[in-house]
C-alpha cells in the first residue's frame, strides 16, 4: 500500500457544507484525485478535551455543534462508520491517550468530508485536541500519527490558519484584512522552509498579525498535527488559497 498524503483544510463557516463555491469545488476535486483511503482520521478544531482522546464508535453520530444557522444545515447527516481497529492502533501510537465512545463527527469533520466523500463510504474517526498541551507537544503528537499513513489512513487537520470571529467583515464575503494576509503568508513560508520553531512560536515570530489571526489557538493547532505527520520527502502544495469575511483564511495544505 502506498503512503497516504496528509491534508490540512481551512474549513470556514459551517455553511460551506451546503455551499457550492470555489472552495467546496476544490474539496470535491481532492476527493476524486487523492488515493482512496482505508479510513480518514480528522483532528478537528471543534473537539477539545483534557487529555488526548480517540473516537471509538462504530456508528459515530453527526454532531451539529453550532447555533443560529438555517434548518437545512441541522438536517445534514454524515453516516460514515467508525474504524474500531484503527482507533485502537491510534491509541497505541499516542501514549496516554484514551478511547471515547460518546463523541461523534463534529462539523469540522463532516462539513469537509461531505464534499470529499459525499457517499460517506469511507470510515471516519477523530483525534481530540488536548487543551493542556503546548504547541510543540501538539506537533509531536502529529509525528506519532505518521505510521498511520502507511496503513491507508488519510490524516486531515480541520481548522483555519487565520480565525478571528470577533473581527469578521459581514459586508464583504471575500474580504481579507492586511494583517490576515500577512500572517497567512508568514505561515505559508514557514511550511515551505519546514521551520517548526516559527509554527510553534508563531506569536513570538510574527507579533501583532499573529495575535489578531490566532486570538485562540484551537483552529491553528490542527495545522501542527498535519505538519508533524508530514516529512521532508513530501511534496507541498495548496489545493485552495483564499479568505472569507476578512478574518478567515481558507488555505488548504497538502503533503503528498
Amino acid at each position: 500500500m502506498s503512503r497516504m498524503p496528509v491534508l490540512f483544510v481551512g474549513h470556514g463557516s459551517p455553511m460551506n457544507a451546503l455551499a457550492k463555491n470555489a472552495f467546496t469545488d476544490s474539496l470535491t476535486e481532492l476527493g476524486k484525485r487523492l488515493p482512496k483511503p482505508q479510513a480518514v482520521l480528522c483532528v478537528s478544531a471543534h473537539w477539545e478535551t483534557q487529555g488526548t482522546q480517540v473516537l471509538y464508535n462504530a456508528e459515530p453520530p453527526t454532531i451539529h455543534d453550532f447555533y443560529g444557522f438555517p434548518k437545512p444545515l441541522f438536517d445534514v447527516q454524515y453516516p460514515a462508520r467508525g474504524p474500531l481497529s484503527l482507533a485502537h492502533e491510534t491509541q497505541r501510537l499516542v501514549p496516554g491517550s484514551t478511547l471515547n465512545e460518546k463523541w461523534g463527527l463534529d462539523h469540522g469533520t463532516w462539513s469537509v468530508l461531505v464534499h470529499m466523500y459525499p457517499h460517506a463510504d469511507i470510515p471516519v474517526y477523530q483525534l481530540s485536541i488536548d487543551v493542556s498541551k503546548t504547541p510543540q507537544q501538539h506537533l509531536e503528537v502529529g509525528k506519532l500519527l505518521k505510521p498511520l499513513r502507511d496503513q491507508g489512513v488519510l490524516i486531515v487537520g480541520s481548522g483555519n490558519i487565520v480565525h478571528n470571529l470577533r473581527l469578521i467583515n459581514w459586508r464583504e464575503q471575500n474580504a481579507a484584512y492586511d494583517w490576515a494576509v500577512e500572517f497567512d503568508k508568514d505561515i505559508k513560508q514557514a511550511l515551505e522552509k519546514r521551520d517548526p520553531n516559527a509554527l510553534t512560536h508563531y506569536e513570538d515570530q510574527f507579533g501583532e498579525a499573529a495575535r489578531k489571526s490566532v486570538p485562540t489557538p484551537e483552529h491553528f493547532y490542527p495545522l501542527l498535527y498535519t505538519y508533524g505527520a508530514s516529512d521532508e520527502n513530501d511534496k507541498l502544495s495548496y489545493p485552495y488559497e483564499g479568505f472569507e469575511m476578512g478574518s478567515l483564511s481558507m488555505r488548504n495544505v497538502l503533503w503528498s
Side-chain angles (χ1 to χ4, degrees), residues 13-90:
S13 167
M15 288 300 293
N16 280 316
L18 301 178
K20 180 172 175 53
N21 52 39
F23 166 67
T24 63
D25 286 348
S26 74
L27 293 178
T28 299
E29 179 59 28
L30 274 174
K32 293 176 180 178
R33 70 179 175 90
L34 294 181
K36 185 176 181 179
Q38 297 296 310
V40 175
L41 171 61
C42 187
V43 182
S44 166
H46 297 281
W47 190 23
E48 295 182 278
T49 57
Q50 289 288 343
T52 300
Q53 299 183 21
V54 182
L55 176 60
Y56 184 78
N57 192 326
E59 297 181 345
T62 303
I63 301 174
H64 300 88
D65 49 335
F66 42 71
Y67 58 91
F69 288 94
K71 184 178 182 297
L73 191 60
F74 291 90
D75 291 339
V76 174
Q77 295 294 315
Y78 194 77
R81 67 187 190 277
L84 300 186
S85 62
L86 282 168
H88 270 298
E89 172 65 8
T90 304

Side-chain angles (χ1 to χ4, degrees), residues 73-137:
L73 191 60
F74 291 90
D75 291 339
V76 174
Q77 295 294 315
Y78 194 77
R81 67 187 190 277
L84 300 186
S85 62
L86 282 168
H88 270 298
E89 172 65 8
T90 304
Q91 184 200 19
R92 186 189 68 80
L93 290 171
V94 183
S97 62
T98 58
L99 297 176
N100 183 309
E101 299 180 5
K102 296 181 179 180
W103 194 248
L105 304 180
D106 61 55
H107 83 267
T109 296
W110 59 259
S111 71
V112 171
L113 297 185
V114 74
H115 297 290
M116 292 183 67
Y117 306 112
H119 301 297
D121 54 351
I122 306 293
V124 182
Y125 65 126
Q126 294 193 195
L127 184 82
S128 74
I129 295 174
D130 178 359
V131 297
S132 69
K133 282 184 166 56
T134 66
Q136 182 62 43
Q137 289 172 323

